[in-house]
Amino acid sequence: MSRKSERLVNLTIALLATKRWLTKEEIFASIDGYEGEADSKERMFERDKDDLRKLGIDIEVGTFDPLFDDEVGYRIRPEKYSTHLESVSEQELALISLASQAWRGAVLDSPALSALNKLKSFGVDSDLDSVPSIATRVTISDSNFETIIEAIISKRSLEFEYISEDGTSLSRKVHPYGVGTKNGFWYLTGLDLGKDEIRTFRLDRIASSVSMSGKSEIFQIPQDFQMRRILASPEPQLVAELRVRRDKGLSLREQATSIVDHEEWSLLTIPYIHEVELAAQILWHLDDVEVISPQSLRNYVITSLQEIVQSHG
């Protein structure tokens, strides 16, 4: 990811997560990439705002007290951000996701998290749960993801080694139609030329570098193709009970079929299919979520947290 793309992502996350208007000084001090003299930072910020508007993301301008001539501040309302994303095309959403996937690629270490920590040190409260989740944790390389997006846009074939569910690795050649996320994992859907049928591939099972082949515009994406429909979940088979801290775990609350609020915690009932995928979401919230049942999910989360502690000290 380029430095500009990283800066745009971190700016978006900071303005989405903040609970009040952010001044330019706070933005420049907390987000890496705003460098140089004051005029240079101003021009960079204006260009960044224009670039975000082109993606359908509006930055609101306001003051801390409308009755007084206070310093101007900036923020992005999560509800408006989500509405804008509903209107973008599959390709546009993929491009936005490409930029955003890098900052959530790790559980405890990311440039965006660093920016929010800096804001917190300035006394600016923020909440990651208020950020709409267009890109959850991924385990693929930036280069593979960029190649896939470029192939979708240019309509070129993709070639890669893919590990199937039985553990075998086979070469695949695909006309890519779209990408999307589901339960914390990225998927690619397209026409598998070897099988002559539309197939869906989980990106973390790609066992090689992805390469493009052939000329541009070699195929057309079907007009009725919708990645959202491809990723529509079947009926969940398992149920988890979680204790979630009040006003936290927004993404988990959205999946819950039952929420019972207590003084400090809420008890959530969440249907799910894949234990590993739900665990990945739980781990993102650290000590704001506790697994009550099933025991297998609880053990998996505890083991994963122990591994995180060992890795990060």
Side-chain angles (χ1 to χ4, degrees):
M1 176 184 285
S2 69
R3 292 193 66 188
K4 179 178 180 180
S5 296
E6 184 176 303
R7 188 178 69 246
L8 286 174
V9 171
N10 296 340
L11 175 62
T12 302
I13 298 304
L15 294 179
L16 275 168
T18 182
K19 294 184 177 181
R20 66 161 173 81
W21 303 100
L22 294 184
T23 66
K24 287 183 183 178
E25 286 71 20
E26 289 170 334
I27 291 171
F28 297 159
S30 61
I31 297 175
D32 292 337
Y34 289 109
E35 302 168 345
E37 300 296 328
D39 289 345
S40 177
K41 294 178 182 178
E42 289 276 353
R43 290 193 298 271
M44 195 179 301
F45 182 56
E46 292 302 319
R47 287 195 297 268
D48 288 349
K49 288 194 296 180
D50 289 339
D51 288 340
L52 290 178
R53 289 192 187 100
K54 291 175 183 177
L55 292 175
I57 302 172
D58 290 332
I59 297 178
E60 290 191 0
V61 181
T63 60
F64 296 92
D65 190 339
L67 299 179
F68 297 91
D69 189 19
D70 286 339
E71 184 177 1
V72 170
Y74 303 86
R75 68 182 179 185
I76 300 172
R77 292 186 184 276
E79 60 271 20
K80 289 189 176 181
Y81 178 80
S82 300
T83 301
H84 284 312
L85 291 180
E86 289 296 324
S87 64
V88 303
S89 68
E90 295 287 345
Q91 291 185 4
E92 290 170 334
L93 183 58
L95 289 170
I96 298 172
S97 298
L98 170 62
S100 67
Q101 64 92 22
W103 78 268
R104 258 188 175 169
V107 175
L108 295 177
D109 185 21
S110 72
L113 193 57
S114 174
L116 296 186
N117 285 334
K118 287 181 183 178
L119 286 171
K120 187 174 183 180
S121 70
F122 302 153
V124 180
D125 198 12
S126 60
D127 185 4
L128 276 173
D129 286 337
S130 67
V131 179
S133 181
I134 67 171
T136 48
R137 187 183 179 192
V138 292
T139 55
I140 59 171
S141 71
D142 289 354
S143 59
N144 272 354
F145 201 92
E146 292 174 3
T147 302
I148 291 170
I149 297 302
E150 185 177 345
I152 293 172
I153 294 172
S154 61
K155 298 181 177 61
R156 295 181 63 187
S157 299
L158 287 174
E159 296 182 12
F160 52 86
E161 294 290 322
Y162 187 74
I163 301 175
S164 59
E165 292 185 357
D166 62 5
T168 59
S169 177
L170 296 174
S171 297
R172 302 296 180 98
K173 187 171 184 178
V174 177
H175 286 168
Y177 291 167
V179 292
T181 59
K182 175 182 170 183
N183 298 328
F185 293 90
W186 280 93
Y187 294 85
L188 161 69
T189 295
L191 178 64
D192 186 326
L193 299 179
K195 298 181 179 295
D196 194 28
E197 61 184 33
I198 294 177
R199 302 293 294 270
T200 298
F201 306 91
R202 215 172 87 176
L203 267 59
D204 63 339
R205 289 182 181 160
I206 293 177
S208 67
S209 296
V210 176
S211 61
M212 289 186 288
S213 63
K215 299 179 180 180
S216 299
E217 305 297 327
I218 199 172
F219 64 89
Q220 292 297 319
I221 299 175
Q223 291 186 351
D224 61 349
F225 175 79
Q226 292 184 3
M227 195 67 192
R228 294 181 183 89
R229 185 175 61 195
I230 295 293
L231 295 178
S233 299
E235 287 297 317
Q237 302 296 316
L238 303 170
V239 176
E241 285 190 327
L242 309 178
R243 281 207 325 155
V244 180
R245 201 179 303 274
R246 289 290 295 267
D247 301 322
K248 297 292 184 179
L250 177 61
S251 62
L252 293 170
R253 292 176 184 274
E254 290 175 343
Q255 301 173 56
T257 56
S258 172
I259 300 177
V260 179
D261 290 326
H262 298 285
E263 184 173 346
E264 184 179 354
W265 298 85
S266 300
L267 181 63
L268 274 61
T269 301
I270 299 179
Y272 68 99
I273 302 174
H274 302 294
E275 188 171 87
V276 174
E277 295 178 359
L278 179 58
Q281 297 182 65
I282 293 171
L283 287 167
W284 174 253
H285 296 285
L286 299 178
D287 60 354
D288 287 328
V289 178
E290 177 188 356
V291 179
I292 304 300
S293 66
Q295 189 63 41
S296 60
L297 176 62
R298 179 179 174 87
N299 292 342
Y300 185 93
V301 170
I302 290 173
T303 301
S304 299
L305 287 172
Q306 291 171 342
E307 291 175 352
I308 291 172
V309 171
Q310 291 177 356
S311 299
H312 294 269

